[in-house]
């Protein structure tokens, strides 16, 4: 049994007791990006230490069978290289505790018995917890394997409130909707409290570790799960993806790009800063970038954590592009700084012009160029399993505008509410 994991860049590093990026500090700010370089202490985005805890609060509950459900493993599957398919489980609910579930039969492809249970507290559907609990897995090197959600670790061991965590790191918060509990990538973490001092993996008994970069889910009886993202293709990241900003030399590297299953204009870039992490000597996987290409001539990268912490001076670094800043200011993006998407039958190319990427330091409230002198480019070799080319042709069609009475408007006024038709996609928009 081969165990592969990387030291977690725990999201606790992203939180302060005034958690979250204050968007108001960006909107309307004078963005002075004259400081073009950042020095980051090596490893500052690294480990977080937690103390042991148990699930005694849940152990005395009485459980009632709800029926058949399904479970998709993420952390355990990534660590022990087992199936990420939806697997059948029996789902129980705690009597007198609505929304507290126990899934029996998880990790059946790894364990010799199919009676192992996972307790999931979804009593607050917007803030689901997986309390620290034994997985039933005895690692051949590090002994007992425990699992928890980052929401539970941050709340119960670090003292953050649910509101702090939702505001600061919403990307790792599991939620319940339409009878499906979704565990975002990196939302579940693992711990080996009895790892030996001479562990060949150098496992810290007090440390928490990601089990990979996949999302998971628990489908309750009657629920229906749909994969939110479909592989769009293998991608090459080239140009300056923050390299010069951190005093490193840019070099191309490979990753993957996904497209939203139900919206062909939304994209997700996996591990987008892999090259920079390697240059900085960081272990771990960088947070995903999500791109809104509903306007292919002004693609938007919303403010996103880089996963890199600049210490007490700068705090966590966030990245966004000029299109996002223009949205906040409700102004048109400078044409020279627009991120553009060009698509043909084989490739899709996202181009972020020089000076279009901005890095924001949460603590110091300073802004830096993310690519001061060179464009940053994502070149995707489109997969046959990706979105049909017709969808992208539709998204590239010239937009047409109509007022609410259905009359064509050649040049709608800024701030007006109009109907926009782009190909066969129709939506209401406020003109910038």
């Amino acid at each position: 049994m081969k165990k592969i994991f990387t030291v977690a860049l725990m999201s606790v590093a992203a939180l302060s007791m005034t958690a979250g990026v204050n968007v108001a500090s960006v909107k309307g700010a004078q963005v002075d990006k004259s400081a073009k370089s950042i020095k980051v202490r090596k490893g500052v985005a690294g480990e977080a230490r937690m103390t042991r805890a148990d699930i005694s609060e849940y152990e005395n509950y009485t459980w009632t069978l709800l029926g058949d459900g399904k479970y998709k493993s993420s952390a355990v599957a990534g660590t022990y290289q087992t199936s990420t398919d939806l697997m059948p489980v029996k789902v129980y609910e705690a009597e007198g505790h609505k929304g507290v579930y126990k899934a029996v039969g998880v990790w059946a492809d790894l364990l010799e018995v199919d009676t192992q249970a996972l307790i999931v507290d979804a009593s607050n559907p917007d803030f689901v917890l997986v309390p620290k609990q034994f997985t039933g897995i005895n690692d051949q090197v590090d002994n007992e394997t425990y699992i928890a959600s980052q929401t539970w670790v941050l709340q119960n061991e670090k003292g953050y409130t649910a509101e702090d965590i939702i505001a600061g790191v919403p990307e790792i918060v599991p939620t319940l909707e339409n009878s499906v509990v979704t565990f975002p990538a990196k939302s579940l973490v693992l711990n080996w409290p009895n790892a030996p001092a001479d562990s060949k993996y150098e496992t810290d008994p007090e440390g928490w570790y990601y089990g990979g970069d996949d999302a998971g889910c628990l489908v309750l009886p009657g629920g229906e799960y749909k994969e939110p993202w479909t592989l769009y293709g293998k991608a090459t990241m080239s140009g300056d993806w923050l390299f010069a900003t951190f005093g490193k030399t840019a070099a191309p590297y490979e990753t993957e790009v996904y497209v939203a299953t139900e919206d062909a204009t939304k994209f997700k870039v996996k591990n987008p800063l892999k090259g920079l992490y390697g240059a900085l000597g960081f272990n771990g996987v960088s947070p995903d970038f999500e791109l809104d290409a509903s306007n292919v001539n002004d693609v938007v990268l919303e403010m996103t954590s880089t996963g890199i912490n600049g210490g007490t001076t700068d705090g966590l670094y966030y990245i966004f592009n000029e299109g996002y800043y223009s949205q906040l200011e409700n102004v048109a993006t400078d044409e020279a700084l627009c991120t553009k998407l060009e698509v043909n039958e084989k490739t899709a190319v996202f181009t972020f012009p020089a000076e279009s990427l901005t890095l924001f330091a949460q603590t110091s409230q300073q802004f830096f160029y993310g690519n001061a002198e060179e464009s940053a480019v994502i070149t995707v070799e489109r997969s046959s399993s990706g979105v049909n080319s017709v969808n992208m042709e539709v998204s590239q069609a010239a937009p047409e505008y109509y007022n609410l009475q259905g009359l064509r408007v050649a040049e709608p006024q800024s701030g007006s509410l109009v109907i926009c038709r782009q190909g066969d996609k129709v939506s209401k928009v406020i003109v910038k």
Side-chain angles (χ1 to χ4, degrees):
M1 180 168 60
K2 184 178 180 181
K3 177 155 66 92
I4 297 177
F5 61 86
T6 55
V7 176
L9 305 180
M10 287 293 292
S11 295
V12 66
L15 286 168
S16 65
M17 290 313 293
T18 55
V21 172
N22 181 4
V23 175
S25 67
V26 175
K27 180 176 174 59
Q30 182 68 35
V31 181
D32 179 7
K33 297 180 283 188
S34 57
K36 297 183 180 180
S37 64
I38 296 174
K39 295 186 182 299
V40 178
R41 181 163 52 88
K42 183 177 179 179
V44 75
E47 72 272 3
R49 293 179 178 271
M50 312 294 179
T51 58
R52 291 193 63 184
D54 56 35
I55 57 168
S56 57
E57 177 184 350
Y58 303 89
E59 288 180 337
N60 296 322
Y61 288 172
T62 301
W63 301 91
T64 300
L65 178 64
L66 292 183
D68 295 329
K70 294 181 179 180
Y71 179 70
K72 180 179 181 180
S73 180
S74 53
V76 168
T79 298
Y80 293 103
Q81 297 182 307
T82 57
S83 176
T84 57
D85 294 337
L86 284 172
M87 307 290 283
V89 292
K90 295 289 185 182
V91 179
Y92 296 76
E93 186 172 30
E95 293 183 5
H97 301 276
K98 183 176 176 59
V100 178
Y101 303 104
K102 180 167 66 173
V104 177
V106 291
W107 315 306
D109 57 335
L110 181 61
L111 298 168
E112 294 181 358
V113 295
D114 60 0
T115 58
Q116 183 59 41
L118 178 70
I119 293 175
V120 178
D121 186 344
S123 53
N124 179 351
D126 296 322
F127 188 76
V128 174
L129 302 168
V130 175
K132 181 176 179 179
Q133 56 199 279
F134 180 44
T135 61
I137 300 168
N138 282 289
D139 188 292
Q140 292 179 352
V141 174
D142 290 332
N143 302 308
E144 297 91 346
T145 305
Y146 282 74
I147 191 170
S149 61
Q150 288 207 54
T151 49
W152 188 87
V153 172
L154 290 171
Q155 185 178 63
N156 287 270
E157 306 222 9
K158 303 304 288 185
Y160 294 105
T161 67
E163 290 74 19
D164 284 338
I165 298 167
I166 291 172
V169 279
E171 65 273 14
I172 56 91
V173 177
T175 56
L176 168 63
E177 185 176 3
N178 297 327
S179 296
V180 177
V181 177
T182 300
F183 301 108
K186 303 180 184 178
S187 62
L188 298 179
V189 288
L190 302 177
N191 166 247
W192 290 269
N194 297 312
D198 61 350
S199 169
K200 70 177 183 180
Y201 298 117
E202 299 181 353
T203 303
D204 179 356
E206 295 182 350
W208 288 92
Y209 297 82
Y210 294 141
D213 197 34
D214 292 319
C217 67
L218 171 62
V219 182
L220 304 177
E224 183 178 355
Y225 176 75
K226 294 182 180 179
E227 289 286 353
W229 299 94
T230 302
L231 180 65
Y232 189 56
K234 301 291 184 180
T236 300
M237 308 284 287
S238 59
D240 186 9
W241 287 99
L242 309 185
F243 284 93
T245 307
F246 286 91
K248 301 297 179 180
T249 301
Y253 52 95
E254 305 301 315
T255 187
E256 294 178 336
V257 172
Y258 289 74
V259 62
T261 305
E262 297 184 353
D263 186 345
T265 68
K266 303 296 189 296
F267 297 87
K268 176 185 289 187
V269 186
K270 304 295 289 184
N271 198 10
L273 300 178
K274 179 172 67 174
L276 179 64
Y277 270 42
L280 292 172
F282 289 164
N283 292 318
V285 177
S286 63
D288 298 336
F289 287 172
E290 293 192 14
L291 306 176
D292 181 350
S294 52
N295 180 351
V296 295
N297 292 311
D298 190 10
V299 177
V300 174
L301 167 61
E302 293 191 359
M303 183 177 286
T304 303
S305 167
T306 64
I308 300 174
N309 197 309
T312 56
T313 300
D314 278 351
L316 189 70
Y317 294 112
Y318 286 77
I319 187 173
F320 59 91
N321 77 337
E322 198 72 13
Y324 174 70
Y325 185 74
S326 297
Q327 280 190 351
L328 291 179
E329 291 296 308
N330 195 27
V331 297
T333 307
D334 183 339
E335 177 66 22
L337 298 178
C338 283
T339 297
K340 296 187 177 182
L341 169 60
E342 297 180 0
V343 181
N344 59 40
E345 292 183 358
K346 295 184 178 180
T347 63
V349 180
F350 297 85
T351 302
F352 297 76
E355 300 188 1
S356 66
L357 290 173
T358 299
L359 210 59
F360 173 68
Q362 180 182 19
T363 301
S364 66
Q365 301 279 291
Q366 290 191 35
F367 297 86
F368 305 85
Y369 280 120
N371 59 339
E373 299 179 357
E374 183 181 358
S375 294
V377 181
I378 307 172
T379 303
V380 186
E381 296 294 330
R382 297 179 57 192
S383 169
S384 58
S385 62
V387 64
N388 189 293
S389 60
V390 174
N391 292 332
M392 289 312 304
E393 290 169 1
V394 167
S395 71
Q396 294 188 93
E400 299 176 352
Y401 298 100
Y402 300 83
N403 61 24
L404 299 183
Q405 288 71 46
L407 299 177
R408 179 77 178 269
V409 179
E411 296 182 1
Q413 295 182 349
S414 177
S416 62
L417 177 64
V418 296
I419 299 170
C420 175
R421 184 175 73 183
Q422 194 167 12
D424 60 2
K425 182 179 179 180
V426 179
S427 59
K428 290 183 180 179
V429 298
I430 297 176
V431 180
K432 293 182 180 180

